[in-house]
């Protein structure tokens, strides 16, 4: 009998039952893959992003009729910009008031834009730092009291290979992502004796809207075809392909499992060997 491939992600709807997971940037791309994976594994979810309508739609997809027979979890949406300290603080308080203290925070919201360094204005620098680093700080600090009240708590930040090595033309994004990795490492030490871990997941180019935007920018700025632009982005990945959002989600779920309790302060590349 041929062996079938094992499922990529846990499919046991009891695996994360009773756990409250908040995912920032949950309406599409990596954040949506993470949210779906936790939902399928039984977690209660708080979805955060700037656009309330798309979050509500995603929440409805998880709790829709095709799933309601198997999934008993509750899913709520809280619109907030992670770069707005008051707004993300309120979203995290509201999520905990509605669904209890957080067990797992996934700092995923972020975005990257490129600029040659000499042409980099302060606005671009601030924007990259605000969303990709300040946002992680604001959300993590707001969530810490709740997380510390729970067993086996987790903070998992989606950084990037740009948090582990340098790339040209994205100095501000690289600086922010290195900062996010450093923040996880520092907190891993500060809270090492508590029942909580802090880790970063560092994807290479992933098959999401953000990568589509990078491809469009290359096409516009260089006149290359879409295929050439995609080949340029995947050239740095020895596997020669984009990473799947579900592959990033699988690493996040593993870090959230009790089995990963001794893994803290790590930055795990999910990038086909792009950085080693
Ligand atoms: P994406 O497809 O563009 O999705 C981004 C998500 O974040 C959306 O749900 C978006 O919703 C939300 N978001 C963006 N800015 C936000 C803000 N200021 N406050 C709250 N929510 C915000 O991006 P992705 O590719 O999934 O990337 C997710 C994370 O992975 C980012 O941190 C990114 O830096 C990192 N990453 C991506 C890649 C890649 O190749 N795609 C590689 C390495 C790392 P709204 O627009 O409605 O707010």
């Amino acid at each position: 009998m041929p062996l079938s491939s094992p499922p990529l992600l846990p499919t046991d709807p009891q695996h994360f039952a009773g756990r409250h997971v908040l995912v920032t940037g949950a309406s599409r791309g990596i954040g949506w893959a993470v949210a779906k994976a936790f939902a399928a594994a039984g977690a209660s979810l708080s979805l955060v992003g700037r656009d309330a309508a798309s979050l509500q739609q995603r929440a409805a997809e998880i709790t829709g009729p095709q799933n309601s027979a198997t999934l008993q979890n509750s899913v709520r949406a809280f619109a907030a910009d992670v770069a707005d300290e008051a707004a993300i603080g309120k979203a995290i308080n509201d999520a905990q008031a509605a669904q209890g203290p957080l067990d797992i925070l996934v700092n995923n919201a972020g975005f990257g834009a490129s600029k040659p360094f000499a042409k980099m204005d302060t606005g671009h620098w601030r924007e990259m730092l605000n969303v990709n680093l300040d946002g992680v700080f604001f959300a993590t600090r707001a969530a810490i009291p709740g997380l510390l009240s729970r067993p086996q708590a987790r903070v998992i930040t989606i950084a990037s290979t740009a948090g582990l090595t340098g790339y040209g033309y994205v100095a501000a994004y690289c600086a922010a992502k290195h900062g996010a990795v450093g923040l996880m490492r520092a907190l891993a030490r500060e809270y090492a004796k508590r029942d909580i871990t802090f880790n970063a997941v560092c994807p290479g180019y992933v098959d999401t809207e953000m990568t589509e935007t990078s491809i469009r920018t290359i096409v516009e700025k260089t006149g290359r075809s879409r295929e050439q632009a995609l080949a340029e982005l995947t050239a740095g990945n020895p596997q020669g392909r984009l990473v799947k959002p579900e592959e990033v989600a699988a690493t996040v779920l593993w870090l959230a499992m009790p089995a990963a309790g001794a893994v803290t302060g790590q930055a795990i590349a999910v990038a086909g060997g792009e950085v080693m």
Side-chain angles (χ1 to χ4, degrees):
M1 200 171 82
L3 287 174
S4 57
S5 305
L8 192 59
L9 291 160
T11 49
D12 172 6
Q14 293 308 311
H15 209 104
F16 286 100
R19 307 282 275 167
H20 178 191
V21 182
L22 186 143
V23 182
T24 67
S27 64
R28 57 175 191 268
I30 295 168
W32 174 230
V34 168
K36 274 191 298 185
F38 273 117
S44 290
L45 279 163
S46 293
L47 310 179
V48 173
R50 289 168 300 180
D51 180 32
S54 53
L55 290 176
Q56 292 293 355
Q57 193 189 317
R58 291 310 200 184
E61 280 179 54
I62 292 175
T63 56
Q66 72 281 20
N67 289 328
S68 55
T70 48
L71 298 176
Q72 298 303 316
N73 29 8
S74 109
V75 183
R76 301 282 299 267
F78 300 92
D81 183 338
V82 295
D84 179 335
E85 182 175 4
I88 185 62
K90 180 175 183 319
I92 286 175
N93 287 343
D94 290 350
Q96 296 190 110
Q99 311 210 83
L102 277 183
D103 294 284
I104 298 159
L105 169 66
V106 182
N107 288 307
N108 164 76
F111 95 108
S114 60
K115 259 193 200 300
F117 183 64
K119 292 186 182 165
M120 191 173 286
D121 53 60
T122 310
H124 173 91
W125 175 264
R126 283 271 156 255
E127 187 179 24
M128 287 297 108
L129 271 285
N130 280 346
V131 176
N132 295 299
L133 180 55
D134 295 359
V136 177
F137 164 57
F138 295 148
T140 305
R141 194 187 48 187
I144 272 289
L147 289 165
L148 290 177
S149 74
R150 300 290 295 161
Q152 299 176 336
R154 301 282 187 262
V155 177
I156 301 160
T157 294
I158 310 302
S160 168
T161 49
L164 298 172
T165 188
Y167 295 94
Y169 306 104
V170 285
Y173 182 71
C174 269
K177 292 296 190 181
H178 274 72
V181 169
L183 179 60
M184 292 301 103
R185 288 175 174 156
L187 296 179
R189 289 245 190 231
E190 188 164 333
Y191 291 103
K193 297 287 196 299
R194 306 296 297 268
D195 196 3
I196 184 167
T197 65
F198 297 84
N199 290 289
V201 174
C202 297
Y205 280 108
V206 184
D207 191 3
T208 70
E209 185 59 40
M210 188 172 127
T211 298
E212 270 308 314
T213 305
S214 303
I215 290 171
R216 276 198 298 275
T217 305
I218 294 172
V219 169
E220 275 163 30
K221 291 206 169 144
T222 66
R224 290 182 200 131
S225 68
R226 189 188 177 282
E227 289 64 37
Q228 287 169 323
L230 176 62
E232 200 174 297
L233 296 188
T234 53
N237 176 336
Q239 291 182 339
R241 66 175 177 92
L242 296 178
V243 174
K244 296 176 195 149
E246 293 74 22
E247 292 173 317
V248 182
T251 304
V252 172
L253 260 70
W254 167 68
L255 283 168
M257 286 176 189
V263 180
T264 192
Q266 301 306 303
I268 300 171
V270 182
E274 182 168 343
V275 293
M276 293 186 187

